[in-house]
Amino acid sequence: MRAKIRSLIGGALLAVLATGCGSHVTLDPPTIPTPLIDKMPLSIALRIPSEFEHFVHEDEVLGREHWTIDLGRSNAALFTQLLGFMFEEVTILGPDDDAGILSIDALIEPSIDAFEFSVPSQSKTDTYAVWIRYRVKVYDSAGDLFANWPLSAYGKSEQTGLTGEAPLKRAAVLAMRDAAALMIMNLDKSTAISSLKDRPAVAVSAAAQVEAEAEIEAETEAIAEEQAPQTPQRREVVLPPPGPVSGPAELSMGPDDDDHSGSVLEGKDDE
Amino acid sequence: MSRCVQSSGRMLIVSAACLTLSACITSRIEDAREGMTGIEGDEAVVILAKSYHLGNETEDKYINCIEDALARGSKGLRVIPHKQFVDSLFPWFEPRTAPAETKGLPKLMGRPGVAERIADQNVRYIIWLDGDTDRVAGGGSLSCAAGPGGGGCFGFAWWTNDADYNASVWDLKGLESAGTVTADVSGTSFLPALVIPIPLIARARAAACKGLAQQLRTFIVDDPGV
């Protein structure tokens, strides 16, 4: 009987020591309440990249505690739910799904730029805190990058119980809820996504673009032949931006550049 | 026989310590009224913590304690649990989005569904809590040892906790501030140990909760103009 008690106490002590050395936290998909907002009259698609859907953060705190935070499907669930509340029509796409066949006003692709957290031993307080830096890319109906918005969310929770798992989970959920509030407040302000409503597609597919380039080249050659005795003159041709097949266009535009057929809204980083 | 005398001596010292030492608490509760107050029987209040985005660290425990204390008793107020209220008005009372001043109330009430949702719950007052409990001083030393024949502690330790809270009362009927109630409680705890440690704990946070809740109830229910 004594040996049993001893082994039980030993086991409990080992468990406490093990939790002291680090933790593995797995988040359950959070739910957000139905927001008090008017839906935007847009038809959008949400593309969830696989690294966003299976985000795992590993860190060593002060060189002692090893933490593994598995956000799992929580972010995908959050954005699916949130955009469902924010827009009239939402189509969920997998990482490899082609949005070209859909009749949509915009495509939204979220990602995580950075994940950070602090525990009481670092902050010298009784709280756990989580920061998540998201990036929301908005593409227009032609597949061109229309806006690129980084947003930082923050959640904080008090220490409860013996281990840090529950408060850290709560802090992460609060950070996600903070991101949801920020998206509701500032998505349109920072990305002007509502201006994409019924906007005509300006880009062409990669194949059509190659065809157009060949046509222009032939035309240029014919003109050059006609003007052979004269000084050759270069004709400036503005090509439409590459379509979705060739990947998203990263367009940067200075204030004086006006020869681009499109621009990317660099959203303000909302801290 | 000598063992018995020794044990009685210890008991005597411990009893004497218990009688002479007790935890000390000093508290100051004040209010500053800016407008008339009063509450109908079916009207409710909500207790919320000011945003942690602004550096506030009011503990969840303290909010729950104030909620319980205000709702308790025959003259208890109708208190809507803060989580229920915040969820029902998502996302307008989140730490990032909640109005920091009464100036923001008209704009908030103009948002779709907000005024209706508040009216459904018949919330008359929002009480914003700010502040926390901190350990501000401490000292002494205490050591414990255990051996095959038993164990014990010897020494003396003390610490002081300061519970400093501020409650801002917003009247949703007039969309204005009704005033503030503050509680500043300082409690010094002692831990003398002569074989057995005897904790004499000053519960500063609990005292601040009780004092602030009592004053808040008086502030809201009683109207000095009447």
Side-chain angles (χ1 to χ4, degrees), chain A residues 9 69 97 118 128 151 238 264:
Chain A
I9 292 168
I69 300 159
D97 290 340
S118 75
Y128 287 78
L151 62 144
V238 179
V264 178

Side-chain angles (χ1 to χ4, degrees), chain B residues 30-34 166-169 177-182 219:
Chain B
E30 289 173 346
D31 66 45
R33 193 179 286 274
E34 290 172 33
N166 179 62
S168 303
V169 183
S177 172
T180 55
V181 180
T182 56
F219 183 88

Side-chain angles (χ1 to χ4, degrees), chain A residues 21-239:
Chain A
C21 295
S23 290
H24 185 103
V25 178
T26 305
L27 251 71
D28 302 319
T31 52
I32 51 168
T34 307
L36 290 176
I37 50 166
D38 292 329
K39 283 189 176 186
M40 279 192 251
L42 290 177
S43 170
I44 64 133
L46 168 64
R47 182 187 284 148
I48 298 171
S50 59
E51 61 272 21
F52 184 73
E53 191 161 6
H54 307 288
F55 187 89
V56 179
H57 177 81
E58 287 190 44
D59 210 342
E60 207 153 273
V61 175
L62 303 172
R64 290 195 307 264
E65 304 168 35
H66 186 83
W67 285 81
T68 305
I69 300 159
D70 183 357
L71 299 185
R73 278 220 80 245
S74 57
N75 276 303
L78 174 84
F79 272 76
T80 305
Q81 202 185 3
L82 176 66
L83 296 186
F85 287 135
M86 289 178 72
F87 295 97
E88 264 180 9
E89 274 182 62
V90 180
T91 309
I92 310 297
L93 301 176
D96 303 321
D97 290 340
D98 182 15
I101 53 165
L102 297 171
S103 170
I104 51 169
D105 296 311
L107 182 139
I108 292 177
E109 189 180 271
S111 57
I112 294 175
D113 277 358
F115 182 97
E116 284 175 49
F117 70 97
S118 75
V119 298
S121 57
Q122 288 171 298
S123 62
K124 307 291 177 206
T125 63
D126 290 337
T127 56
Y128 287 78
V130 166
W131 294 262
I132 308 175
R133 192 176 165 88
Y134 292 97
R135 184 168 292 276
V136 173
K137 287 183 177 172
V138 177
Y139 297 88
D140 63 17
S141 56
D144 295 326
L145 185 62
F146 178 73
N148 187 347
W149 180 37
L151 62 144
S152 300
Y154 171 57
K156 198 172 89 168
S157 178
E158 287 162 47
Q159 184 166 24
T160 49
L162 288 174
T163 68
E165 285 175 38
L168 197 75
K169 264 187 194 181
R170 186 168 151 69
V173 168
L174 288 176
M176 287 183 196
R177 197 169 155 134
D178 188 42
L182 187 54
M183 286 271 289
I184 290 169
M185 292 239 318
N186 285 357
L187 178 68
D188 194 30
K189 227 182 273 176
S190 298
T191 67
I193 191 171
S194 60
S195 68
L196 291 176
K197 169 79 180 155
D198 298 331
R199 196 172 100 147
V202 290
V204 290
S205 70
Q209 190 181 327
V210 169
E211 212 172 278
E213 275 175 16
E215 262 179 39
I216 291 162
E217 206 173 297
E219 207 177 294
T220 314
E221 273 173 19
I223 293 166
E225 273 172 25
E226 273 176 27
Q227 297 175 340
Q230 298 164 16
T231 315
Q233 284 180 343
R234 194 173 165 198
R235 187 179 166 194
E236 288 290 335
V237 179
V238 179
L239 286 174

Side-chain angles (χ1 to χ4, degrees), chain A residues 32-38 82 125 152-156 158 170 174-175 177-178 180-182 184-185 270-271, chain B residues 52-53 55-61 83 86-92 94-97 111-114 117 205:
Chain A
I32 51 168
T34 307
L36 290 176
I37 50 166
D38 292 329
L82 176 66
T125 63
S152 300
Y154 171 57
K156 198 172 89 168
E158 287 162 47
R170 186 168 151 69
L174 288 176
R177 197 169 155 134
D178 188 42
L182 187 54
I184 290 169
M185 292 239 318
D270 293 278
E271 293 292 338
Chain B
Y52 56 68
H53 281 254
N56 182 35
E57 294 188 343
T58 305
E59 308 88 347
D60 278 346
K61 271 183 201 168
K83 279 180 187 154
V86 169
D87 279 356
S88 72
L89 286 150
F90 183 76
W92 306 118
E94 295 299 301
R96 183 186 288 274
T97 57
R111 293 194 185 278
V114 172
R117 202 57 69 85
R205 185 161 57 195

Side-chain angles (χ1 to χ4, degrees), chain B residues 124-209:
Chain B
R124 172 74 191 274
Y125 295 102
I126 294 180
I127 298 165
W128 291 100
L129 293 180
D130 188 3
D132 60 352
T133 301
D134 282 326
R135 179 166 297 186
V136 291
S141 74
L142 187 76
S143 55
C144 297
C153 298
F154 186 79
F156 179 80
W158 65 275
W159 63 95
T160 301
N161 283 347
D162 198 4
D164 198 357
Y165 295 92
N166 179 62
S168 303
V169 183
W170 289 8
D171 186 352
L172 294 185
K173 211 171 183 179
L175 302 184
E176 61 190 6
S177 172
T180 55
V181 180
T182 56
D184 188 0
V185 176
S186 182
T188 304
S189 305
F190 304 103
L191 184 60
L194 199 65
V195 183
I196 304 162
I198 304 154
L200 303 161
I201 307 292
R203 301 191 186 281
R205 185 161 57 195
C209 167

